[in-house]
Amino acid sequence: MGIKPGDTPGFFTSKLEKAVGWARRYSIFQYPFVTACCGMEYMSTASGHYDMDRFGAGLPRFSPRQADVLFVVGTISHKIAPILRRVYDQMCEPKWVVAFGVCTCTGGFYDNYATVQGIDTIIPVDIYIPGCPPRPEAVLDGLMKLQAKIENQKQVVI
Amino acid sequence: MEAATETRETKSMLLNIGPSHPAMHGVIRLVTELEGESVAKVDAEIGYLHRAFEKSAEAATWTQVIPYTDRLNYVSPLINNFGYCAAVEKLLGIEVTERCKYIRVTMSEISRITDHLTCIAASAMELGAMTAFLYFMKAREYLYEIVEEVTGARLTISYGRIGGVKGDLPDGLPEKLEEALKKVERELLEVDKLLTRNRIWVDRTRGIGVLTREDAIAYSISGPMARASGIAYDVRKAFPYAAYDRMDFEVPLGERGDNYDRYLVRMEEMRQSIRIIRQALKGMPGGPVNVDSGGRVIESFDLVDQAKMGRTAGLVDVRTTVEPTLEGTEKVHHDRILPDEKRVVLPSKEDTYGNIEGLMNHFKLIMDYHGIRPPKGDTYHAVEGANGELGFYVVSDGQDRPYRVRVRPPCFFNMAVLHKMLEGYMVADIVATFGSINMIAGELDR
């Protein structure tokens, strides 16, 4: 009973899509690709005080094959860029990418020969969380925006 | 029986660990050669977080380098800030005020605690002790709240300034800090109970990743790693800077140089840091936090004596408390411009908008190609970073931008000796040993 992208949704399929969206929203398995300073704020957000678990995103999976949201946390230099691309390619669909911190969004103030000027030059990005590093509140805000995006997008159920 | 005596050809296996590996906090690639389960050879490849700190510093003004130093060792940014500022002050020949020294000590020690908390938390988590991780993250959060209150940011704080700090401590900070320290002590005790005598923890760390005293010296290791190997070297004791010479604290030493000793040294250092913070808060003098904000007032008879002896250099602009002989002479028309002390710290906004001297001072510090201009020369200043001796070698060619800022990152040397600590142990010990080193990619690759 697959819904293909071109199909006109009927009553049943639109309800199913809603249910799948709701389920996906609250079962985010993230892959934290931590390289730099933002990792400290990532740790803060993930642990007790701010508690990402409240949003159903509590369990980081360190294997790309088990994860569906890639958190790119910290500066991406040209040396590590191919590895990021590889990790992204290894993830299964559906997958989302969060650019955590301004270095991943635009390169930040590392406007130099070593740094990738925004990871969207390498992989598609769904949510940008700017800040150097972003406060945990900003991260949670980004996470909620990602959840809304996941819920409302067209669900491909195979 | 025949099968047992049969010799089989064994081949070593090459295994890449990292740069993106769950148990590698920070990006580094370990190329290991395995013989069965044991590690025969390790080669560390670094450079995955090279962000061109030194090159960027050459393009920035002396003050603009400070934000870059935040992101060297991002777990204890305050120490980096103060280390860089102190190096430039040494170049300029400036002595910061007494209050500033105490503030720097307090904030440095807070940073040291957050660093050690993160190190132990992460290494415990990698060995499966998630509870210790969560407890220590909680403790770190209490300190981040204090740091935020003082500096305005949690992590990348840019609090240090050449010639002082960004601002004075807020009102009521000592009480809040004391409260936070009490909570941190409670978490320390809790994790102490969880880990120190924990059979699993001791088995995984005791006798693993031994760094001998000789190796530590040969590879110029410093900080907790050297102290765990029994080398009593602490920059705070050996070359006291700021107000450390007035602080009473112990330097914990290990005996065996294994992971467990490094853990114990870090735990004890946190307790000592708390002790230092309490002393610094207690002994903190009043007065200005920046070098020139208080002015240099001297007594009138001193002024006369100095002038009679011909020591008039710099006296012209010194404000003095002249006895009034005529009505109105006691009024100081404007504060003196003493170039030595006016060349680093921005004047207060009242001065900038209120009088021409302040305005000129402001512009001279802000304008391109003016700014802070240390005399030609070079200097090296080291502070005790959370991982060891964090040195800044700064070179000035007399311009408003550094000619060179070279960092001596403690992690770099730790990574050089890494193979000695991993070879001969098991694969699973790599995680435990690597966690105990506290490699910070930001300062390793710069």
Side-chain angles (χ1 to χ4, degrees):
Chain A
M1 50 140 212
I3 308 166
K4 285 167 211 78
D7 290 355
T8 341
F11 169 77
F12 174 72
T13 47
S14 63
K15 285 286 174 215
L16 177 71
E17 188 161 74
K18 227 171 184 169
V20 170
W22 175 84
R24 280 187 177 156
R25 172 185 183 156
Y26 293 112
S27 52
I28 292 174
F29 285 82
Q30 20 155 345
Y31 179 99
F33 192 87
V34 178
T35 60
C37 346
C38 286
M40 296 301 116
E41 286 299 41
Y42 177 81
M43 279 156 91
S44 290
T45 318
S47 39
H49 252 66
Y50 293 95
D51 199 6
M52 258 182 174
D53 217 356
R54 293 178 291 162
F55 301 89
L59 203 61
R61 306 308 304 169
F62 284 101
S63 155
R65 302 211 190 275
Q66 298 170 355
D68 46 25
V69 174
L70 177 63
F71 269 75
V72 186
V73 184
T75 317
I76 300 298
S77 68
H78 286 298
K79 189 168 179 178
I80 203 159
I83 296 144
L84 172 65
R85 176 74 216 192
R86 190 153 171 195
V87 166
Y88 176 77
D89 286 343
Q90 284 173 343
M91 287 169 65
C92 302
E93 294 281 356
K95 59 189 171 186
W96 297 271
V97 176
V98 175
F100 187 121
V102 76
C103 284
T104 53
C105 297
T106 66
F109 82 156
Y110 289 107
D111 186 5
N112 56 36
Y113 63 86
T115 311
V116 174
Q117 302 297 303
I119 56 161
D120 46 12
T121 57
I122 310 169
I123 53 175
V125 176
D126 291 276
I127 297 287
Y128 296 86
I129 308 174
C132 190
R135 293 183 57 86
E137 289 90 340
V139 181
L140 294 180
D141 184 51
L143 187 66
M144 281 151 76
K145 286 201 167 71
L146 176 73
Q147 286 182 323
K149 187 170 181 175
I150 291 173
E151 189 172 24
N152 297 325
Q153 76 179 45
K154 191 144 186 73
Q155 307 295 342
V156 180
V157 187
I158 302 154
Chain B
M1 274 317 276
E2 270 178 31
T5 51
E6 187 187 343
T7 51
R8 284 185 187 172
E9 190 191 354
T10 54
K11 263 161 74 180
S12 62
M13 184 180 127
L14 212 62
L15 178 71
N16 268 310
I17 302 176
S20 177
H21 188 267
M24 295 277 130
H25 50 246
V27 273
I28 187 170
R29 179 167 156 227
L30 300 180
V31 186
T32 54
E33 204 183 310
L34 305 180
E35 267 164 19
E37 280 270 329
S38 60
V39 181
K41 203 159 167 285
V42 178
D43 201 4
E45 187 182 346
I46 64 170
Y48 286 98
L49 192 60
H50 176 61
R51 297 191 280 196
F53 164 78
E54 289 175 13
K55 198 69 200 161
S56 305
E58 287 167 23
T61 63
W62 289 95
T63 312
Q64 282 169 349
V65 177
I66 294 170
Y68 288 110
T69 63
D70 284 347
R71 290 154 181 83
L72 284 177
N73 182 349
Y74 35 77
V75 197
S76 52
L78 284 149
I79 303 179
N80 309 345
N81 266 201
F82 300 147
Y84 169 73
C85 291
V88 181
E89 281 152 15
K90 202 168 164 187
L91 202 56
L92 280 155
I94 289 177
E95 176 95 14
V96 292
T97 62
E98 203 62 6
R99 185 173 174 80
C100 172
K101 285 179 184 172
Y102 275 79
I103 292 178
R104 284 186 177 182
V105 166
T106 314
M107 300 310 288
S108 292
E109 292 310 313
I110 292 179
S111 242
R112 194 180 317 282
I113 300 175
T114 58
D115 194 298
H116 287 351
L117 284 173
T118 313
C119 170
I120 294 176
S123 57
M125 180 185 66
E126 280 151 15
L127 296 184
M130 193 71 186
T131 320
F133 172 77
L134 289 172
Y135 282 176
F136 267 1
M137 286 298 111
K138 199 163 80 178
R140 198 177 71 158
E141 212 58 42
Y142 298 134
L143 293 172
Y144 273 173
E145 274 164 24
I146 298 290
V147 170
E148 188 180 4
E149 189 152 346
V150 177
T151 67
R154 287 159 54 87
L155 200 66
T156 44
I157 37 74
S158 298
Y159 182 58
R161 289 289 184 274
I162 296 161
V165 290
K166 190 186 84 182
D168 208 343
L169 299 178
D171 291 340
L173 186 89
E175 294 76 41
K176 279 181 193 157
L177 184 49
E178 179 57 43
E179 209 172 297
L181 289 181
K182 278 204 184 104
K183 286 184 195 162
V184 172
E185 273 179 332
R186 205 156 58 219
E187 301 300 333
L188 277 179
L189 202 66
E190 198 116 43
V191 172
D192 194 44
K193 278 182 200 157
L194 277 174
L195 289 184
T196 308
R197 298 197 186 283
N198 184 328
R199 178 73 193 275
I200 304 168
W201 177 255
V202 175
D203 279 355
R204 289 298 303 270
T205 54
R206 185 46 108 190
I208 307 287
V210 175
L211 175 67
T212 60
R213 198 185 141 86
E214 289 71 33
D215 278 342
I217 293 171
Y219 282 82
S220 72
I221 304 297
S222 54
M225 255 178 76
R227 293 195 280 275
S229 299
I231 301 166
Y233 175 66
D234 188 318
V235 183
R236 293 173 294 177
K237 286 274 190 205
F239 307 100
Y241 55 96
Y244 279 113
D245 49 346
R246 276 151 276 173
M247 300 297 156
D248 177 31
F249 64 99
E250 310 278 323
V251 178
L253 287 183
E255 285 171 351
R256 310 185 200 191
D258 57 4
N259 292 343
Y260 191 67
D261 273 2
R262 282 192 280 277
Y263 157 74
L264 289 182
V265 163
R266 281 210 167 83
M267 286 297 262
E268 185 54 34
E269 273 188 22
M270 283 194 272
R271 291 187 201 105
Q272 294 298 330
S273 290
I274 291 175
R275 216 173 124 197
I276 296 174
I277 293 172
R278 289 205 169 115
Q279 288 173 44
L281 284 179
K282 209 171 160 198
M284 192 174 292
V289 290
N290 288 331
V291 281
D292 67 347
S293 53
R296 215 179 93 199
V297 183
I298 60 174
E299 296 295 328
S300 51
F301 56 84
D302 256 357
L303 179 72
V304 175
D305 280 358
Q306 297 280 322
K308 273 182 179 167
M309 284 185 279
R311 293 181 193 148
T312 50
L315 274 188
V316 179
D317 298 319
V318 169
R319 180 172 51 170
T320 181
T321 48
V322 181
E323 299 295 323
T325 47
L326 293 167
E327 198 179 350
T329 47
E330 68 178 321
K331 183 173 182 292
V332 180
H333 288 290
H334 54 77
D335 279 2
R336 80 284 173 276
I337 304 298
L338 190 60
D340 273 359
E341 292 176 3
K342 286 285 185 192
R343 61 190 171 160
V344 285
V345 178
L346 285 178
S348 65
K349 284 284 169 275
E350 290 79 10
D351 275 343
T352 307
Y353 297 121
N355 58 52
I356 186 64
E357 287 81 10
L359 189 66
M360 282 160 67
N361 190 1
H362 181 87
F363 268 107
K364 286 295 278 181
L365 285 173
I366 292 293
M367 271 192 298
D368 265 358
Y369 307 108
H370 290 262
I372 297 169
R373 299 163 74 108
K376 277 183 193 174
D378 58 346
T379 189
Y380 175 81
H381 187 270
V383 291
E384 179 69 25
N387 285 332
E389 179 178 335
L390 174 73
F392 285 89
Y393 174 67
V394 286
V395 185
S396 165
D397 56 353
Q399 298 300 309
D400 64 328
R401 279 147 219 270
Y403 181 77
R404 180 94 204 270
V405 181
R406 151 99 185 128
V407 188
R408 182 218 186 271
C411 279
F412 189 74
F413 300 86
N414 296 355
M415 284 302 110
V417 80
L418 183 67
H419 65 102
K420 293 251 178 199
M421 300 159 67
L422 294 182
E423 282 166 13
Y425 297 97
M426 309 294 260
V427 184
D429 297 334
I430 294 179
V431 175
T433 308
F434 195 79
S436 78
I437 297 174
N438 195 24
M439 194 276 296
I440 306 290
E443 73 175 4
L444 172 69
D445 297 335
R446 305 186 294 285

